[in-house]
Structures are given as structure tokens and as C-alpha cells.
Amino acid sequence: MKITNAVVTGAAGGIGRALAAHLIAEGASVVLSDLDAAALTEAAGELGGTAVAADVSDAGSMEALAAAVPEPDLVCLNAGIVGRDLGVPWEVSAEDWARVFAVNAGGVSNGLRAFVPRMLAGGRPGHILITASLAGLVTFPAGGAYAASKHAVVALAEQAALSLAGTPIGVTLLCPALVRSGMSPEGEDPADVAADALAAVRAGRFTVVPDGWDGEIERRARWLASGAQPTPPNLPE
């Protein structure tokens, strides 16, 4: 798949910036988008992309972003936040539940609503890359609203892929583990995560999962199907 025009949300840092950097280095024209206008302008200037500030939690803002991107080959719905409360569900504030879901799940649904009809109307091959998390595939005892929102993002990506089957538009779901970004000072290099994601896009793969976690994802599916009580995931050796 040749990517000529792309748009990346959450592009001021982390995985989003890394995706934009890879795409621009490969010769694509990239629109970088983020809510942090100052950091976004700096990133776009350094990378050689175009900055269009947008709030992914606002449907109108995403419609404006889609209108500003001419015929994208690749739409990266990447923006996300962790939230303040990462404890068990009943310890998470109502405000955190609302904000985290508005950005993480709402950002994807608003992005799909804004971009997919335009891409289908254009009739050209294209792809949507959706950033979820390993926390959307396996469940830990805590994780706050973030974990629940990423499970919702996984379902949204599956719905989109099923609904777009037979069309020129493909879907890839990125589920990284810990990544060095504004969310965490530790983890995998975002450049490596971005490279793996774009390789999956070009290969037409649906999921991008960290090495070593396949067994835990399969184990979760088995206890869900059997009715057994859940147990925490085992960390890969």
C-alpha cells in the first residue's frame, strides 16, 4: 500500500509523533493533529508536516479535521489519555470516567464518523490505524477508566473492520504495552511501535500485539468462553 496523504491524531508526542515521523520520512504528506496546539506546532515544524489542532472528543472538531485533509490514504486515530485514577473501578471519579471515555473511545468513534464516509465516497484504497492498548486485550485488577476505555476501542475497531469488509478501506488495531511517551517515562521506543504498526498496515494485518502476550490473550478467551472466574494475566518471561 502506497501512503501519499495521511493524518495522525495525538501527534504532538509519543506514538503519534513517531508515526508522523516515519510517514514523512517515507515521502508522505502528513497532517498532524493534537489538542496541545503549541506542542503540535513544534512537532509539525520539526518533522515537516502540517499542523491542524483538533479535540478528538468533540465531533465537530473532528469533522473540521476531516474536511482539512484531502483524500487521506491513511487515518491514524491515535489520540488517548491515561486519566488521573488508575485504581479499581469504584475508586475512579465520575469526572475521570467521562473524560477518559470521551477522548479514548469518543476520539475513535468521532474519527470514524468523520473520515469513513468521505473515504468510501472517494472510492480509493485506504486504511485506518486505531491505537488501543494491550490493556484492551487482557484485563488487570486495576487500570481505572483507561483499561475499560481501551476494551471499548478494541470493540470499535472490530466493528469497523467487519463493517468495511469488501470495501477498499482496511483497518489495523495497534495494541502496544508500555511505551515511552507523555504517559510514561518507561517502555518501548515509540519509533519501534510506529514501525511495527505501519508494517502491519501495509501487510493488511488487523492486530499488532506485543511479543510474548499471545498466550495470555488466548487464555482470557478460554475462561470467558468457559465461564471460569477471571485471573490476572501472567507477565511474559
Side-chain angles (χ1 to χ4, degrees), residues 7-70:
V7 56
V8 183
T9 67
I15 296 173
R17 180 180 173 127
L19 285 167
H22 272 280
L23 290 163
I24 290 168
E26 293 168 358
S29 174
V30 180
V31 171
L32 291 80
S33 187
D34 203 283
L35 184 60
D36 186 338
L40 174 65
T41 299
E42 180 181 354
E46 290 179 357
L47 296 178
T50 301
V52 178
D55 180 355
V56 298
S57 70
D58 180 83
S61 186
M62 288 300 283
E63 286 290 340
L65 174 62
V69 183

Side-chain angles (χ1 to χ4, degrees), residues 169-233:
I169 312 301
V171 178
T172 292
L173 174 65
L174 174 61
C175 294
L178 200 59
V179 179
R180 292 198 304 274
S181 67
M183 295 182 182
S184 171
E186 301 178 355
E188 193 173 355
D189 188 331
D192 294 335
V193 176
D196 289 345
L198 293 175
V201 166
R202 293 189 171 92
R205 285 168 41 216
F206 178 62
T207 48
V208 185
V209 178
D211 291 341
W213 283 96
D214 299 25
E216 288 305 304
I217 295 168
E218 293 169 0
R219 188 172 71 87
R220 175 175 181 264
R222 286 195 298 271
W223 59 248
L224 283 172
S226 70
Q229 288 293 322
T231 56

Side-chain angles (χ1 to χ4, degrees), residues 105-119:
V108 174
S109 62
N110 287 335
L112 293 172
R113 190 184 307 109
F115 282 98
V116 169
R118 288 176 167 87
M119 296 172 78

Side-chain angles (χ1 to χ4, degrees), residues 35-136:
L35 184 60
D36 186 338
L40 174 65
T41 299
E42 180 181 354
E46 290 179 357
L47 296 178
T50 301
V52 178
D55 180 355
V56 298
S57 70
D58 180 83
S61 186
M62 288 300 283
E63 286 290 340
L65 174 62
V69 183
E71 298 187 328
D73 307 299
L74 176 64
V75 174
C76 301
L77 301 177
N78 168 77
I81 60 174
V82 174
R84 294 186 303 271
D85 306 327
L86 288 175
V88 295
W90 53 90
E91 294 176 349
V92 178
S93 67
E95 293 77 14
D96 221 40
W97 278 109
R99 180 59 181 159
V100 170
F101 265 80
V103 173
N104 293 356
V108 174
S109 62
N110 287 335
L112 293 172
R113 190 184 307 109
F115 282 98
V116 169
R118 288 176 167 87
M119 296 172 78
L120 289 173
R124 299 168 58 248
H127 211 90
I128 299 166
L129 173 64
I130 297 173
T131 302
S133 169
L134 177 67

